Amino acid sequence: MQEVGQNLDNGFKVIHNSPNTSSVINAKSISKNGGKCTYRSLVRINENAKSSKSSVSCESLMLDDISVSDTIPTSDIKTDDIEFSHEAKIGKISDKTIFYLMSRGLSEEDAKAMIVRGFAYPISKELPVEYAVEMNNLINMELEGAIG
């Protein structure tokens, strides 16, 4: 999670140089207290990489009105015989979702924490159990008193 004064500038580069290659990229970031996240990417599919596939997904969650997230994708496709998709989502926690969870008995802080953990779940489910537990503990520590 990015906080005030923190600027996370990250990304990736994928180059397809042979036929029938594939890549799947899923990136996620969470910003709070005025943190900034910039995500840069390059997908290059060269002429000899026919029948290649590439899928890119970038999601950013901002926990307040002063945080910032930018996505700067670059695609360099040099053949027509490929499948390529790119999706970017940047958003805030929905007030309607918070209201719904609160109507089911959760406090506002618990509702927001549940949403953040759900946002991070696709990453944590791929980790070994020990790392997933540590990741969830870090999320809980970061959220303690930070949202609300």
Side-chain angles (χ1 to χ4, degrees):
M1 278 187 226
Q2 300 307 298
E3 292 195 49
V4 95
Q6 290 186 328
N7 184 349
L8 175 66
D9 194 333
N10 65 7
F12 72 90
K13 182 188 298 186
V14 173
I15 299 173
H16 291 260
N17 231 2
S18 297
N20 302 305
T21 56
S22 63
S23 60
V24 177
I25 297 93
N26 293 309
K28 290 183 176 266
S29 67
I30 302 171
S31 300
K32 69 175 189 171
N33 298 335
K36 179 175 181 176
C37 181
T38 303
Y39 169 81
R40 303 169 196 273
S41 67
L42 168 65
V43 174
R44 179 176 295 138
I45 302 179
N46 289 325
E47 294 163 347
N48 57 336
K50 296 190 181 309
S51 300
S52 292
K53 298 178 183 180
S54 183
S55 172
V56 179
S57 173
C58 175
E59 296 180 74
S60 297
L61 179 64
M62 292 172 289
L63 302 183
D64 54 48
D65 292 333
I66 59 174
S67 295
V68 178
S69 183
D70 294 315
T71 301
I72 306 168
T74 303
S75 306
D76 184 10
I77 312 297
K78 297 180 179 182
T79 182
D80 290 335
D81 184 21
I82 57 110
E83 290 181 32
F84 176 73
S85 66
H86 180 270
E87 175 182 22
K89 296 179 189 175
I90 299 173
K92 291 177 24 178
I93 294 177
S94 162
D95 290 336
K96 288 180 182 180
T97 304
I98 297 297
F99 178 78
Y100 173 80
L101 292 171
M102 289 175 68
S103 74
R104 299 296 183 254
L106 293 174
S107 70
E108 184 175 359
E109 188 172 310
D110 287 344
K112 288 180 180 181
M114 178 182 282
I115 292 167
V116 171
R117 282 193 297 273
F119 180 80
Y121 176 74
I123 296 167
S124 66
K125 77 175 184 173
E126 299 296 325
L127 297 173
V129 173
E130 305 83 28
Y131 293 114
V133 168
E134 286 302 313
M135 183 176 137
N136 286 326
N137 288 340
L138 286 170
I139 288 172
N140 290 336
M141 284 184 352
E142 284 290 323
L143 292 176
E144 205 170 282
I147 52 181

